[in-house]
Amino acid sequence: MSENVVQRLRDEIENGIISNDFAPGARLDEVQLATRFGVSRTPVREALMQLNAIGLVEIRPRRGAVVIDPGPHRIFEMFEVMAELEGLAGSLAARRFTDADRTTILAAHADCERSFSAGNSDAYYYDNERFHKAIYAASHSGFLAEQCVALHRRLQPYRRLQLRVRNRVATSFAEHGAIVEAILAGDAEQARTLLRQHVSIQGERFSDLVATLASR
């Protein structure tokens, strides 16, 4: 079973949930999904298990996978924790990065620049994901990196949706530039502050996300 097939299915189902094509409380039938996407039930089952792991669906006895709506307050709480974890990762990365880490971070930043310049928000999302993972790795804290990756994955659909808000990709890329500068300058406190602000969705950004969710 191809990992790419599972990822594509997961993203398609995820998008369906976020766009309300699959409404909260709806049952996600494996056979129907397999037919809809032209695949066997095996990758569908794996995709649903991954969505269960991040809390977008719940696999229930005798009902199978059911769509879960975490609600705006829960999403806000997750972003709040993510901002703190990212800030810590950035701070440690500024203190601990190696030459190899520098190369990886700069390469990921260059990929983000290409997708931003192409105006492709979905491609930018995946390049952005690699950029953040490069910072986690540069923290040289295995446990912290694990927690960051796990929560990042839970927030993936909302982070992707947020990038579709007007001008957010441009703002995100500009913020990346300042983050890279702080980390490579060894400024741990500045890196922490910038990453916390980058991930936090206080005020207008949270209102924009909630409005976008409601419209979908």
Side-chain angles (χ1 to χ4, degrees):
M1 179 173 56
S2 168
E3 183 178 341
N4 288 337
V5 171
V6 175
Q7 179 177 306
R8 178 180 65 83
L9 276 171
R10 185 194 67 211
D11 288 351
E12 290 283 357
I13 298 169
E14 199 171 75
N15 287 337
I17 293 172
I18 296 300
S19 66
N20 212 36
D21 189 22
F22 303 122
R27 179 172 175 270
L28 298 174
D29 183 84
E30 290 181 9
V31 175
Q32 291 178 358
L33 290 172
T35 301
R36 174 172 176 164
F37 295 113
V39 296
S40 70
R41 292 178 64 181
T42 301
V44 171
R45 188 176 300 115
E46 176 62 27
L48 291 176
M49 289 175 63
Q50 291 186 16
L51 293 172
N52 175 72
I54 66 170
L56 272 186
V57 306
E58 182 179 331
I59 298 177
R60 299 175 180 173
R62 296 183 296 280
R63 284 205 66 194
V66 176
V67 177
I68 299 299
D69 180 9
H73 183 69
R74 180 72 168 178
I75 295 168
F76 172 78
E77 289 178 338
M78 288 191 288
F79 270 105
E80 195 173 42
V81 173
M82 186 81 255
E84 294 299 326
L85 292 178
E86 292 258 2
L88 177 57
S91 174
L92 293 178
R95 289 161 44 193
R96 299 175 177 176
F97 76 88
T98 64
D99 288 342
D101 294 324
R102 178 200 298 269
T103 299
T104 303
I105 290 170
L106 288 174
H109 186 47
D111 287 341
C112 287
E113 183 174 19
R114 278 191 289 273
S115 54
F116 160 61
S117 298
N120 189 333
S121 64
D122 284 338
Y124 181 85
Y125 171 78
Y126 289 107
D127 292 332
N128 173 68
E129 185 175 42
R130 286 190 288 275
F131 174 78
H132 284 269
K133 285 182 177 179
I135 295 173
Y136 307 158
S139 75
H140 293 278
S141 171
F143 180 76
L144 176 60
E146 289 170 6
Q147 301 310 304
C148 285
V149 168
L151 189 50
H152 189 114
R153 180 67 194 92
R154 292 195 70 179
L155 284 168
Q156 175 172 307
Y158 309 106
R159 293 181 80 149
R160 186 193 297 130
L161 187 60
Q162 184 187 328
L163 287 173
R164 294 175 183 171
V165 173
R166 183 169 27 173
N167 296 326
R168 180 55 200 156
V169 171
T171 302
S172 173
F173 180 69
E175 291 169 354
H176 281 192
I179 289 165
V180 170
E181 185 176 335
I183 290 174
L184 299 187
D187 191 336
E189 283 309 306
Q190 179 71 346
R192 181 196 296 269
T193 298
L194 290 174
L195 270 158
R196 285 174 62 186
Q197 293 173 347
H198 178 64
V199 176
S200 176
I201 55 167
Q202 303 279 353
E204 291 182 0
R205 284 180 59 190
F206 185 62
S207 297
D208 288 342
L209 178 60
V210 171
T212 307
L213 285 167
S215 71
R216 291 170 183 268

